[in-house]
Amino acid sequence: MFEDKSIGLVLSGGGVRGMAHIGLIKAMREHHIEAKVVAGTSIGALVGALYANGHAVEDMLKFFKETPLFQYSFFTIIKPGFIDTERYVDIFKKFFPNNSFESLDKPLYVVATDLLSGKEKVFDKGELIKPLLASAALPPVFSPVEINDVLYADGGIMNNFPIEYVKDKSEFIIGSNVSVTVPLKKKELRNSFQLTARVTSLMIHASNDEKLHQCDLFIEPKELDSIGVLDKKGIENAFNIGYEYGSKALEKMLSKM
């Protein structure tokens, strides 16, 4: 079935929980399923770029395990944000030495937010690394990234599940959403930070939900809710959850054919 179809892969934002995307990719490869076009936001853009560049699953995990989230020398007081996002350029060059969309094995669409115009921006040509950094620059932790005199930040602000960019290029769409929400107890909303996090999560989920169900196959593992967005200790757990969900979803679908 899949040999003759053009498959699109859509990967959401969601921080460390995005390691579940890599688990799904492992399951896809075990079932000899390869996407021909990829779209991603934030962590989904980073995983999508590694996948589009032909990296093995082990190398993808290595990238996230070895890239520091909070390195003292990266902290800044001269930019908006606690960490200077552009300090990661040299680290990214080790994995993307050609630093261009054109050098990738598959077409890739990366979504970021133009903070000046307040509009969504999709990158798919030219320089690769800065758009990737911009797409994953979660305010206020990471500073915006300047590209052609414009400041860009996390793509999830405007579009956390960019299915639009693969729709007309795919006959079958596989999606992975790691920005999950689960019911809370009243005691879990005791301060302004918890309230802000909850409201943001619900807004993102509402915008994701309809588009997620436009996929022909998707995973949305609720167990990811227990993993902190910036908790690197959750990398292996999120990866295993994604692999388990991806394997089950693919096996269920293939069993019906």
Side-chain angles (χ1 to χ4, degrees), residues 46-249:
L46 301 184
V47 173
L50 291 166
Y51 176 61
N53 205 35
H55 285 283
V57 164
E58 293 75 17
D59 289 334
M60 295 184 200
L61 290 173
K62 181 180 178 182
F63 173 85
F64 291 103
K65 288 177 179 178
E66 294 186 357
T67 300
L69 277 178
F70 303 106
Q71 184 160 310
Y72 182 75
S73 62
F74 287 6
F75 278 76
T76 180
I77 58 172
I78 61 173
K79 291 185 176 183
F82 300 117
I83 296 173
D84 184 353
T85 308
E86 294 189 42
R87 294 294 299 274
Y88 289 89
V89 169
D90 288 340
I91 296 174
F92 277 47
K93 282 182 178 177
K94 296 176 184 177
F95 287 82
F96 305 104
N98 295 316
N99 191 18
S100 74
F101 281 88
E102 289 78 8
S103 68
L104 300 175
D105 297 335
K106 308 172 189 292
L108 173 68
Y109 296 86
V110 170
V111 173
T113 298
D114 179 339
L115 291 175
L116 304 186
S117 70
K119 296 181 179 180
E120 173 182 333
K121 169 70 175 179
V122 62
F123 294 91
D124 64 338
K125 297 179 180 66
E127 182 181 2
L128 173 66
I129 292 175
K130 277 197 172 183
L132 290 179
L133 290 172
S135 183
L138 176 68
V141 179
F142 298 98
S143 68
V145 176
E146 184 173 336
I147 303 173
N148 297 327
D149 294 323
V150 177
L151 293 177
Y152 293 98
D154 196 301
I157 299 169
M158 301 300 293
N159 187 350
N160 201 50
F161 194 76
I163 193 173
E164 302 90 335
Y165 302 105
V166 304
K167 259 190 168 182
D168 61 345
K169 304 171 184 66
S170 312
E171 299 169 278
F172 191 96
I173 299 176
I174 298 175
S176 177
N177 177 40
V178 298
S179 293
V180 297
T181 60
V182 298
L184 294 184
K185 295 180 180 179
K186 188 167 63 174
K187 65 180 181 181
E188 295 177 90
L189 291 175
R190 291 177 296 184
N191 59 54
S192 298
F193 294 108
Q194 291 173 332
L195 177 62
T196 300
R198 180 60 172 176
V199 171
T200 301
S201 175
L202 291 174
M203 290 171 62
I204 290 174
H205 181 267
S207 65
N208 277 6
D209 195 52
E210 182 180 345
K211 292 197 291 183
L212 189 67
H213 286 84
Q214 294 173 21
C215 296
D216 298 286
L217 181 147
F218 69 87
I219 65 168
E220 189 181 36
K222 299 299 183 183
E223 289 89 337
L224 293 171
D225 185 69
S226 64
I227 299 173
V229 171
L230 296 175
D231 182 10
K232 289 188 69 174
K233 294 179 181 177
I235 286 178
E236 284 289 343
N237 189 21
F239 166 73
N240 290 329
I241 290 171
Y243 175 65
E244 179 183 354
Y245 267 74
S247 297
K248 287 181 178 178

